[in-house]
Amino acid sequence: MKASVIVLTYNANPEKLKMTLKSVIGQKCDDFEIIIADDGSKTRWDDETEQFFHEYGFEKYKFANSSENVGTVLNIINAVNNSRGKYVKLLSPGDTFYDSNVLSRWIAGAEEKNSQVSFGRAVYYMQTQEGATICRIKNSPANLSIYSKGIYNRVFVNCLLANDGLVGATILYRRDVLEKYLGMIAGKVKYAEDYMLRLMIYDGIKVDFYDKNVIWYEYGGGISTNKNNKWAVILHKDFDAANDIIRTECVAKKAINRRYRKYLNLSGGNDRLRKLRKITMFPSMIICRLRARLMPEITPEGDIRLLKEFMDN
């Protein structure tokens, strides 16, 4: 099977779930499946979802639900273990494919480049009282040209030191790579599965940029864009856990890997001292952050009519 689209739910809004599923079943792709993976919600929408698939005549789906709340990472692992696709795309309710050709063209691009990890552009939107509106804000990553050129040391510094990472919704993984790194973070990182990308880049896996709009991304609805202090603490804990895995388990193949590990092993001092160490050991980080601040890539425009088609009942 070419692809498994995994829809991760937790106390999902049924209308957002429906619009996400509409964008998936409408894909003009020859061979893919949908896995619904609920993380122990109090209220699930399995019966309604099955009825939805029945109405649209879509049969390649299954449920891989957890009986209790286990966190995003273990929920994904359970879903991947129940999937068959060569490529895996993770989605959450409220996020949709940009149009009906995304999956087939994205996979074709990944096959052509032999990509292990590929990411495209997200068109950000928000729901308001007047309806869905496009948000034009700083892109993630802001230094998109660094990823376009694919120069390893620049990508390394930009992602691991300047923390100019990718939005998880924009990423397509090859299944074998995803399984490996999910296994590495299992039991250590609980919610921020995107942090496994830091491990991948540390290990030298090339992250290819697919220069197309691939996702309608609901801004403000996910963990990464949530301003709640509780989630900030949780994400920081997951961030430290990912760094601990790099420090103790990943293989330092290049000089920049060894330097980063040395930086992680340095302890003590206040925040100011730690920042000074980082700048001293990785001066190119300053350029990355200045470029991100002064000349940031802005999220793209999109045809809002495409999104509204998924919202229509």
Side-chain angles (χ1 to χ4, degrees):
M1 182 166 284
K2 282 186 179 179
S4 297
V5 180
I6 295 174
V7 181
L8 302 163
T9 65
Y10 179 67
N11 294 330
N13 178 309
E15 293 304 314
K16 290 183 180 182
L17 174 59
K18 186 176 180 181
M19 66 178 280
T20 297
L21 293 176
K22 278 187 73 173
S23 84
V24 181
I25 64 172
Q27 290 302 300
K28 296 176 182 177
C29 184
D30 294 336
D31 194 18
F32 73 96
E33 64 179 353
I34 300 174
I35 310 294
I36 310 293
D38 185 83
D39 190 15
S41 297
K42 293 180 180 179
T43 302
R44 294 209 305 255
W45 305 100
D46 295 359
D47 292 341
E48 292 82 356
T49 301
E50 284 205 278
Q51 180 62 30
F52 171 86
F53 286 133
H54 177 73
E55 289 175 1
Y56 282 88
F58 188 87
E59 298 180 349
K60 294 180 181 179
Y61 71 91
K62 67 174 66 172
F63 294 93
N65 296 328
S66 299
S67 59
E68 59 183 354
N69 182 236
V70 296
T72 309
V73 170
L74 293 183
N75 192 36
I76 294 172
I77 290 173
N78 181 46
V80 171
N81 288 341
N82 281 278
S83 67
R84 298 175 291 161
K86 178 179 179 181
Y87 296 93
V88 177
K89 180 73 199 79
L90 306 175
L91 283 176
S92 298
D95 300 336
T96 74
F97 284 116
Y98 180 73
D99 61 32
S100 61
N101 295 302
V102 167
L103 192 58
S104 60
R105 291 177 179 173
W106 201 353
I107 290 173
E111 294 276 65
E112 182 180 351
K113 288 187 174 182
N114 193 27
S115 299
Q116 296 176 297
V117 181
S118 171
F119 78 101
R121 294 182 179 271
V123 182
Y124 287 44
Y125 80 95
M126 290 185 71
Q127 288 278 28
T128 67
Q129 291 182 344
E130 290 75 29
T133 58
I134 292 175
C135 306
R136 295 274 286 166
I137 58 177
K138 184 186 292 187
N139 192 68
S140 293
N143 287 319
L144 187 54
S145 62
I146 288 177
Y147 294 83
S148 302
K149 294 174 183 176
I151 300 172
Y152 177 71
N153 278 23
R154 292 184 184 178
V155 171
F156 185 99
V157 171
N158 197 64
C159 182
L160 274 73
L161 279 304
N163 298 325
D164 186 20
L166 279 56
V167 172
T170 64
I171 303 174
L172 179 72
Y173 296 101
R174 205 172 70 190
R175 178 199 180 88
D176 56 340
V177 174
L178 179 61
E179 287 179 321
K180 174 183 176 180
Y181 287 91
L182 283 171
M184 291 179 71
I185 67 174
K188 299 165 185 174
V189 175
K190 188 170 184 178
Y191 294 103
E193 79 283 355
D194 299 351
Y195 287 157
M196 65 183 164
L197 191 70
R198 297 172 62 84
L199 278 66
M200 294 176 185
I201 290 174
Y202 185 92
D203 280 347
I205 289 179
K206 187 172 181 290
V207 179
D208 289 315
F209 174 50
Y210 176 65
D211 192 7
K212 302 287 184 184
N213 291 348
V214 296
I215 292 292
W216 287 100
Y217 180 64
E218 186 181 19
Y219 182 68
I223 293 175
S224 61
T225 55
N226 194 309
K227 305 302 181 183
N228 188 303
N229 287 334
K230 169 192 169 186
W231 280 112
V233 172
I234 290 172
L235 292 178
H236 186 73
K237 183 178 179 181
D238 278 352
F239 182 85
D240 287 343
N243 275 340
D244 282 342
I245 296 168
I246 291 174
R247 185 173 55 82
T248 59
E249 298 182 32
C250 292
V251 178
K253 300 175 183 178
K254 299 176 182 289
I256 196 167
N257 301 115
R258 293 189 288 272
R259 204 184 330 150
Y260 186 66
R261 181 171 289 179
K262 181 179 179 181
Y263 163 73
L264 293 179
N265 283 327
L266 291 173
S267 59
N270 54 31
D271 289 344
R272 187 174 181 178
L273 179 58
R274 286 193 291 271
K275 288 178 182 178
L276 181 60
R277 286 173 181 161
K278 184 187 287 190
I279 292 171
T280 302
M281 297 178 73
F282 299 93
S284 60
M285 183 192 72
I286 299 175
I287 298 174
C288 287
R289 289 194 166 172
L290 283 175
R291 285 181 60 88
R293 180 175 299 178
L294 301 176
M295 297 181 292
E297 181 83 12
I298 303 299
T299 52
E301 289 279 10
D303 185 347
I304 196 68
R305 293 172 297 179
L306 295 170
L307 177 64
K308 290 180 178 179
E309 286 180 7
F310 303 138
M311 292 178 170
D312 293 337
N313 294 325

